[in-house]
């Protein structure tokens, strides 16, 4: 039988897919589980995959690669989709697509499969990634092609002698990895309804968080985190540590309405303590080390970067171009940021950088001022020149009119 590599989570959808691809589509299924952190099915993937009829189950630890080559570059870029979503799910997909293609080559498979539905972004990210990396591979999406309700999936598996205690269906659709947890569906579909406490798993509510703050110092080099509280750690350790600490202090909850690529608006609840803390600190370090022009353009580029990640264009020339720009901006973004975590907030309270552009001697109102205040007069004379000329030539006779811009309610 032809071989197929399936992206296997160990959940009901992809377990059913193993059986369906084998019986209905005639494939030898190699179930590929990629550990990007936090998956609750992780311990059972091997036994479940084999029970469902996979010819082989392969487990790859993708955690370090995920953080180093996907999450941290997105952090350095400041990529946050629609000013809210740090892109956890979206960043993991291109890694999964890449490994699916690699394993397909190693195993001599002619097809790959994933468990995405036809309504979301993930199908796009998988499909575009795979077809870019190897256009000869056939892509099968069992859930999209043959959506089966949960009861039927369980029945289908039982009919074929696979009896797994699936337990109660959770109230939400969950996806999690080290960079964040996402919850959607169920009561969350009512955008007026406050998320129930069960929607959150990684973070305490602000009320339940300790009143005492915690402080953390994050060391960055060229925009990438390298130390926590002065201690060098692996990328994964740093993220795990901040998820834990931030979660205890109620940091990292996000509730927003998001625009999917396929045109649907959806209500998403995210928890991403580490991502939020890292982004907050990184922004503060850039404020110290980038010029105002660099900050302004980079903000625009960050949005573009977030969109290309969200929209499944990781493996693209556009990404290569933007990544080169971002890397260039990060040459001097090195230093340490101190953050206070308290009752749902992550606040930057201290910053230092060797190549800081902040010059206390220029900023100070105390002794030691090196700024020449008398030079300001000439500067203002030139800076205000156009405005003065325009006022004299065009506006002077109608000053009350001009003032309406500033105070339109005056005579409304
Ligand atoms: N909306 C997010 C995205 O497209 C997360 C989707 C995660 N899936 C889920 N079943 N919760 O990246």
């Amino acid at each position: 039988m032809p071989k197929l590599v399936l992206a296997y989570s160990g959940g009901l959808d992809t377990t059913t897919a193993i059986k369906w691809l084998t019986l209905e589509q005639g494939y030898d299924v190699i179930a590929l589980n990629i550990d990007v952190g936090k998956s609750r099915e992780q311990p059972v993937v091997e036994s479940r995959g084999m029970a469902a009829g996979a010819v082989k189950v392969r487990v790859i630890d993708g955690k370090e690669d995920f953080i180093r080559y996907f999450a941290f570059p997105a952090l350095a870029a400041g990529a946050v989709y629609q000013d809210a979503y740090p892109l956890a799910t979206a960043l993991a997909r291109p890694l999964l697509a890449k490994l699916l293609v690699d394993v397909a080559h190693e195993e001599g498979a002619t097809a790959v499969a994933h468990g995405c539905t036809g309504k979301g972004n993930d199908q796009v990210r998988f499909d575009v990634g795979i077809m870019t990396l190897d256009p000869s591979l056939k892509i099968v999406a069992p859930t999209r092609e043959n959506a089966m309700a949960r009861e039927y999936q369980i029945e289908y598996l039982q009919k074929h002698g696979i009896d797994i205690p699936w337990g109660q269906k959770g109230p939400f659709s969950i996806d999690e990895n080290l960079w964040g947890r996402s919850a959607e569906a169920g009561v969350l579909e009512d955008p007026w309804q406050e998320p129930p406490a069960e929607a959150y798993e990684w973070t305490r509510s602000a009320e339940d968080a300790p009143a005492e703050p915690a402080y953390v110092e994050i060391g960055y080099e060229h925009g990438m985190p390298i130390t926590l509280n002065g201690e060098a750690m692996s990328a994964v350790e740093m993220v795990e540590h901040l998820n834990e600490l931030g979660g205890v202090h109620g940091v990292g909850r996000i509730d927003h309405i998001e625009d999917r690529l396929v045109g649907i608006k959806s209500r998403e609840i995210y928890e991403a303590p580490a991502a939020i803390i890292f982004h907050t600190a990184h922004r503060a370090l850039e404020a110290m080390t980038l010029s105002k022009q660099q900050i302004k353009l980079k903000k625009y580029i960050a949005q573009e970067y977030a969109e290309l990640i969200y929209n499944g264009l990781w493996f693209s020339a556009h990404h290569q171009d933007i990544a080169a720009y971002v890397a260039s901006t990060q040459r001097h973004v090195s230093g340490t940021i101190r953050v206070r975590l308290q009752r749902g907030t992550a606040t930057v309270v201290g910053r230092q950088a060797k190549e800081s552009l902040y010059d206390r001697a220029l900023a100070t109102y105390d002794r030691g001022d090196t700024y020449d205040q008398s030079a300001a007069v000439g500067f203002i004379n030139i800076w205000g020149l156009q405005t003065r000329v325009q006022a004299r030539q065009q506006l002077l006779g109608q000053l009350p009119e001009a003032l309406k811009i500033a105070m339109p309610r005056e005579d409304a």
Side-chain angles (χ1 to χ4, degrees):
M1 295 210 279
K3 289 187 191 168
L4 171 146
V5 182
L6 165 73
Y8 183 54
S9 71
L12 178 58
D13 285 337
T14 49
T15 302
T16 308
I18 293 179
K19 197 81 243 174
W20 187 81
L21 288 162
T22 307
L23 293 181
E24 256 71 40
Q25 307 280 304
Y27 284 108
D28 272 346
V29 177
I30 295 147
L32 173 63
N33 177 265
I34 297 145
D35 180 8
V36 278
K38 293 285 188 182
S39 161
R40 62 197 82 218
E41 274 101 15
Q42 205 61 47
V44 297
V45 284
E46 302 214 49
S47 59
R48 264 192 200 169
M50 293 310 288
V55 295
K56 195 193 272 188
V57 176
R58 286 184 56 173
V59 178
I60 296 179
D61 181 349
K63 294 199 288 290
E64 196 68 25
D65 282 350
F66 173 53
I67 299 301
R68 280 182 51 196
Y69 301 118
F70 295 83
F72 278 3
L75 165 68
V80 176
Y81 185 64
Q82 297 192 317
D83 292 328
Y85 170 38
L87 294 160
T89 301
L91 282 163
R93 297 317 184 201
L95 172 62
L96 269 48
K98 161 91 171 63
L99 292 173
L100 268 180
V101 171
D102 287 351
V103 171
H105 292 164
E106 282 169 31
E107 299 282 350
T110 53
V112 292
H114 58 71
C116 303
T117 71
K119 291 189 80 169
N121 302 306
D122 285 331
Q123 53 169 346
V124 181
R125 298 167 184 151
F126 268 115
D127 289 4
V128 173
I130 294 159
M131 58 180 65
T132 305
L133 295 171
D134 183 353
S136 75
L137 285 170
K138 184 175 159 54
I139 303 170
V140 190
T143 315
R144 184 170 61 193
E145 287 164 30
N146 178 49
M148 268 193 248
R150 188 182 165 82
E151 303 78 78
Y152 293 122
Q153 291 183 322
I154 295 173
E155 223 173 77
Y156 180 78
L157 288 174
Q158 276 169 348
K159 195 170 83 192
H160 294 290
I162 302 150
D163 230 332
I164 295 170
W166 291 102
Q168 278 292 311
K169 179 180 160 29
F172 314 109
S173 162
I174 304 293
D175 184 73
E176 20 186 11
N177 63 45
L178 280 170
W179 203 233
R181 174 181 188 268
S182 119
E184 46 187 47
V187 294
L188 303 175
E189 286 174 0
D190 176 357
W192 179 246
Q193 168 120 27
E194 183 173 350
E198 319 84 80
Y200 299 105
E201 210 163 84
W202 291 15
T203 56
R204 293 192 198 177
S205 68
E207 303 92 279
D208 293 338
E212 270 298 293
Y215 288 85
V216 62
E217 291 182 7
I218 306 173
Y220 290 87
E221 198 173 85
H222 308 308
M224 302 280 177
I226 49 159
T227 59
L228 282 190
N229 298 321
E231 207 186 308
M233 286 185 198
S234 75
V236 169
E237 284 171 328
M238 284 189 282
V239 172
E240 283 175 341
H241 182 82
L242 284 192
N243 275 334
E244 188 64 40
L245 187 67
V248 167
H249 288 274
V251 170
R253 292 186 170 192
I254 299 146
D255 173 352
H256 89 130
I257 300 292
E258 175 174 298
D259 285 287
R260 289 191 189 161
L261 179 57
V262 294
I264 298 170
K265 279 192 187 287
S266 78
R267 205 278 187 90
E268 304 276 338
I269 301 298
Y270 297 111
E271 290 173 284
I276 295 290
I277 297 166
F278 277 132
H279 271 291
T280 304
H282 181 259
R283 225 176 292 124
L285 185 57
E286 288 194 329
M288 291 286 275
T289 53
L290 298 184
S291 69
K292 65 178 177 186
Q293 294 91 344
Q294 288 175 302
I295 289 171
K296 184 171 156 189
L297 179 63
K298 188 162 180 284
K299 205 170 173 155
Y300 175 76
I301 298 292
Q303 270 178 29
E304 187 66 24
Y305 199 177
E307 272 176 43
L308 85 83
I309 293 167
Y310 189 85
N311 294 339
L313 304 179
W314 183 268
F315 300 105
S316 63
H318 187 41
H319 182 190
Q320 291 177 316
D321 295 344
I322 289 183
Y325 167 79
V326 170
S328 176
T329 63
Q330 300 301 293
R331 279 169 300 162
H332 308 289
V333 183
S334 303
T336 304
I337 300 294
R338 189 162 75 244
V339 184
R340 189 186 66 218
L341 309 174
Q342 189 175 27
R343 294 249 151 115
T345 61
T347 311
V348 171
V349 293
R351 57 285 264 172
Q352 60 183 20
K354 255 199 322 295
E355 298 176 280
S356 173
L357 303 176
Y358 175 86
D359 183 342
R360 187 167 183 182
L362 284 174
T364 188
Y365 286 98
D366 296 338
R367 253 183 305 133
D369 186 359
T370 60
Y371 176 83
D372 177 5
Q373 298 206 27
S374 67
V377 179
F379 167 73
I380 294 164
N381 190 31
I382 304 294
W383 171 248
L385 186 59
Q386 289 221 338
T387 311
R388 290 200 322 275
V389 169
Q390 197 155 29
R392 186 186 66 215
Q393 294 297 100
Q394 300 173 349
L395 304 176
L396 222 49
Q398 20 161 336
L399 249 192
E401 284 300 310
L403 282 175
K404 274 188 196 160
I405 300 167
M407 290 180 267
R409 307 187 62 146
E410 198 87 317
D411 52 4

